[in-house]
Amino acid sequence: TQLLEQSPQFLSIQEGENLTVYCNSSSVFSSLQWYRQEPGEGPVLLVTVVTGGEVKKLKRLTFQFGDARKDSSLHITAAQPGDTGLYLCAPCGDNQGGKLIFGQGTELSVKP
Amino acid sequence: DAGITQSPRHKVTETGTPVTLRCHQTENHRYMYWYRQDPGHGLRLIHYSYGVKDTDKGEVSDGYSVSRSKTEDFLLTLESATSSQTSVYFCAISESRAGTGGSYEQYFGPGTRLTVT
């Protein structure tokens, strides 16, 4: 059974601060997805990283896939209240037949 | 936004009654999923479908059944609802896409909040 851990579980910061959240596993994955979920809504896909060491940027969000493809990080620069939400990682391994395992998420609150 | 709807959006039911939740998609995606989301447990897969009439169990399938008679609809049935099934239920769809390392990027519906009293 693969273990998947997201940290921190909760994060409350002021507008303008930077932050990093982590997704770590004991298994190697072929790819990894990050989602954001706002209160009362379903998760929304932010990015998929595929190659070990890959870095992708989405405006103020920077996603990195670890060299060994066992971990990932999400860095937000100059956080804004609109970034508030639950950030979920979902690694995808070979032969999972379309199934994803979601981490428990990092709940981020950005205060004005 | 992907065309996914869930119905009903809210439901209150009594213990022991059967309940059916519906997920409808207009994207013609092959894969469909049902998850439940509870505080402290994240998103947990209940059942999923990889084609019409092709379904498989997820990690929390006990007490739930599913059916998929056509591409666009995926039904989740609670055979005899219990209070432990009070949760928010999400449907998702996906299709394997080239250039994503074999990942199945998922698109979620708005959720159904179910309360079993």
Side-chain angles (χ1 to χ4, degrees):
Chain A
T1 302
Q2 60 197 26
L3 297 175
L4 186 62
E5 182 178 348
Q6 285 192 246
S7 61
Q9 192 173 352
F10 300 97
L11 189 56
S12 180
I13 61 172
Q14 293 295 129
E15 182 176 1
E17 293 184 22
N18 301 331
L19 67 116
T20 303
V21 299
Y22 301 92
C23 176
N24 296 296
S25 174
S26 56
S27 301
V28 176
F29 298 104
S30 57
S31 62
L32 185 144
Q33 300 165 22
W34 282 95
Y35 293 78
R36 178 169 66 209
Q37 183 178 20
E38 298 185 12
E41 299 183 7
V44 175
L45 178 69
L46 295 174
V47 75
T48 299
V49 286
V50 177
T51 306
E54 180 178 6
V55 176
K56 280 191 174 178
K57 293 191 176 184
L58 185 66
K59 296 183 180 178
R60 293 175 293 99
L61 279 60
T62 301
F63 303 85
Q64 185 164 9
F65 202 13
D67 291 341
R69 291 185 287 125
K70 297 171 67 172
D71 56 83
S72 182
S73 64
L74 160 59
H75 182 80
I76 301 179
T77 303
Q80 298 178 2
D83 296 326
T84 292
L86 178 67
Y87 289 81
L88 296 158
C89 70
C92 187
D94 295 330
N95 302 318
Q96 282 186 213
K99 294 190 292 185
L100 292 180
I101 302 296
F102 283 85
Q104 291 194 16
T106 292
E107 197 166 331
L108 172 65
S109 174
V110 182
K111 302 186 187 307
Chain B
D1 291 341
I4 311 168
T5 57
Q6 291 184 231
S7 59
R9 293 294 313 279
H10 302 271
K11 186 170 182 66
V12 180
T13 192
E14 294 184 350
T15 298
T17 60
V19 176
T20 296
L21 308 183
R22 180 181 183 236
C23 177
H24 179 78
Q25 61 145 330
T26 58
E27 304 298 315
N28 201 36
H29 280 18
R30 177 183 175 189
Y31 296 87
M32 298 186 76
Y33 311 80
W34 277 108
Y35 294 89
R36 59 178 291 174
Q37 187 173 36
D38 306 287
H41 291 279
L43 277 168
R44 293 183 290 174
L45 182 65
I46 304 171
H47 283 279
Y48 75 109
S49 170
Y50 47 95
V52 174
K53 296 186 180 179
D54 292 324
T55 64
D56 202 355
K57 296 179 180 180
E59 60 181 309
V60 290
S61 60
D62 287 349
Y64 302 94
S65 62
V66 290
S67 66
R68 191 170 178 199
S69 59
K70 45 187 178 177
T71 299
E72 56 266 36
D73 289 324
F74 193 32
L75 304 180
L76 176 70
T77 297
L78 288 64
E79 293 140 10
S80 177
T82 67
S83 58
S84 66
Q85 293 175 312
T86 292
S87 186
V88 180
Y89 291 85
F90 287 100
C91 173
I93 64 174
S94 75
E95 193 65 76
S96 181
R97 188 168 66 87
T100 62
S103 70
Y104 294 80
E105 298 171 337
Q106 301 201 355
Y107 299 91
F108 285 80
T112 293
R113 183 173 294 277
L114 176 68
T115 302
V116 184
T117 61

